[in-house]
């Protein structure tokens, strides 16, 4: 069964550094998402992406964040200058149809020191 | 803004028994979808069940069923014949329907930690 994959599974970085989290959505899916979950808290929506542009973003998704689909398979989340409070689990999700269900990847745990 | 509330931080059930997890939501929309996701210790989010608001019939997936009360804005999850593998965090989630335009990011509740007692 096809699934969303994410790399790396765990990323440790120093405050102020740039990080790129990578996702490979399910191959024929058209809608892509990033969510984050700070430890012990609920999952929060960051951004959705369709047709090579952002379709929706939350208040969390400020100028420090960007997303890109550099080729036909990858979907990336970049954090330009990481802060301690960016430490969280980051989930990628994708879906095929506008009314379809979002399928989540296993997550990347980001630790900012 | 839509909100999702899960009032039970933790629930415990004996193996093979039935447990119900509560979820309420607040929205002024009539076209929306509701979901239950499971998050085991591996932290991967796994879809359990989904309900379209326009459907009156409650969704069912094997041992999992929902009680969708649209007027009360309630969406509870019933797990029958609980198994050890059901132990996980369970998140209720909401998203707008087609009428919401491009806004289809999921809004999650805080989750309920389900413990299965052997």
């Amino acid at each position: 069964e096809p699934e969303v994959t994410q790399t790396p599974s765990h990323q440790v970085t120093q405050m102020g550094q740039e990080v790129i989290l990578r996702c490979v959505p399910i191959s024929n899916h058209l809608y892509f998402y990033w969510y984050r979950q700070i430890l012990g808290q609920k999952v929060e929506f960051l951004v959705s992406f369709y047709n090579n542009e952002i379709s929706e973003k939350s208040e969390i998704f400020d100028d420090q964040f960007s997303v890109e689909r550099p080729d036909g398979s990858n979907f990336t989340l970049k954090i330009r200058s990481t802060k301690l409070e960016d430490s969280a689990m980051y989930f990628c999700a994708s879906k095929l149809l506008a009314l379809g269900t979002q399928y989540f990847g296993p997550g990347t745990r980001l630790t900012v020191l | 803004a839509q909100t999702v509330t899960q009032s039970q931080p933790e629930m415990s059930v004996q193996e093979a028994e039935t447990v119900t997890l509560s979820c309420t939501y607040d929205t002024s929309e009539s076209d929306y979808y509701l979901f239950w996701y499971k998050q085991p210790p591996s932290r991967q989010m796994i879809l359990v069940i989904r309900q379209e608001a326009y459907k009156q019939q409650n969704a069912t997936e094997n041992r999992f069923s929902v009680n969708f009360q649209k007027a009360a804005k309630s969406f509870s999850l019933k797990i029958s014949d609980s198994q050890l593998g059901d132990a996980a965090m369970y998140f209720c989630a909401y998203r707008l329907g087609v009428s919401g335009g491009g806004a289809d990011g999921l809004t999650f509740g805080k989750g309920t930690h389900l413990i299965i007692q052997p």
Side-chain angles (χ1 to χ4, degrees):
Chain A
E1 186 176 327
E3 55 186 26
V4 178
T5 59
Q6 291 184 242
T7 54
S9 57
H10 189 194
Q11 172 100 39
V12 180
T13 190
Q14 295 290 326
M15 190 170 56
Q17 294 296 304
E18 174 183 288
V19 294
I20 297 176
L21 309 183
R22 301 181 193 279
C23 168
V24 179
I26 295 173
S27 64
N28 59 343
H29 283 193
L30 302 174
Y31 299 80
F32 313 109
Y33 306 83
W34 283 101
Y35 293 82
R36 81 170 184 192
Q37 184 184 30
I38 295 170
L39 187 63
Q41 298 188 23
K42 66 179 178 180
V43 178
E44 300 172 290
F45 168 72
L46 292 177
V47 65
S48 59
F49 191 87
Y50 170 70
N51 201 26
N52 280 321
E53 60 182 23
I54 291 173
S55 47
E56 184 193 8
K57 59 183 180 179
S58 71
E59 292 174 352
I60 303 167
F61 194 87
D62 61 23
D63 291 344
Q64 292 298 312
F65 292 89
S66 63
V67 289
E68 194 177 33
R69 188 154 162 81
D71 52 42
S73 59
N74 290 283
F75 180 52
T76 62
L77 174 70
K78 184 195 291 187
I79 309 175
R80 277 182 247 290
S81 178
T82 50
K83 302 175 221 169
L84 295 175
E85 54 264 37
D86 293 326
S87 293
M89 195 78 162
Y90 288 80
F91 292 100
C92 174
S94 71
K95 70 178 184 183
L96 174 61
L97 302 171
L99 299 181
T101 296
Q102 293 178 31
Y103 291 91
F104 283 75
T108 292
R109 182 149 58 106
L110 176 65
T111 302
V112 182
L113 302 176
Chain B
Q2 293 80 20
T3 58
V4 177
T5 301
Q6 293 179 250
S7 58
Q8 306 153 317
E10 186 173 279
M11 291 284 285
S12 181
V13 65
Q14 290 287 129
E15 196 176 359
E17 296 293 306
T18 295
V19 64
T20 298
L21 308 184
S22 302
C23 172
T24 58
Y25 57 95
D26 187 23
T27 183
S28 57
E29 304 291 335
S30 59
D31 179 20
Y32 54 88
Y33 295 78
L34 297 164
F35 306 85
W36 280 97
Y37 279 89
K38 169 184 177 181
Q39 187 181 45
S42 66
R43 299 194 73 184
Q44 174 138 21
M45 299 287 287
I46 302 165
L47 176 70
V48 175
I49 200 164
R50 130 186 184 143
Q51 174 81 43
E52 292 84 349
Y54 64 83
K55 288 187 177 177
Q56 292 187 333
Q57 187 171 7
N58 289 323
T60 299
E61 286 289 341
N62 301 314
R63 298 183 294 107
F64 299 86
S65 61
V66 298
N67 183 6
F68 174 46
Q69 301 288 327
K70 191 171 184 179
K73 296 180 183 174
S74 169
F75 182 61
S76 60
L77 174 71
K78 184 171 87 169
I79 306 173
S80 304
D81 185 25
S82 299
Q83 300 175 359
L84 294 177
D86 295 333
M89 283 291 288
Y90 285 81
F91 292 95
C92 180
Y94 164 103
R95 58 152 278 202
L96 285 171
V98 177
S99 60
D104 68 342
L106 294 169
T107 300
F108 284 87
K110 289 187 176 181
T112 296
H113 182 211
L114 178 63
I115 298 168
I116 311 294
Q117 306 274 9

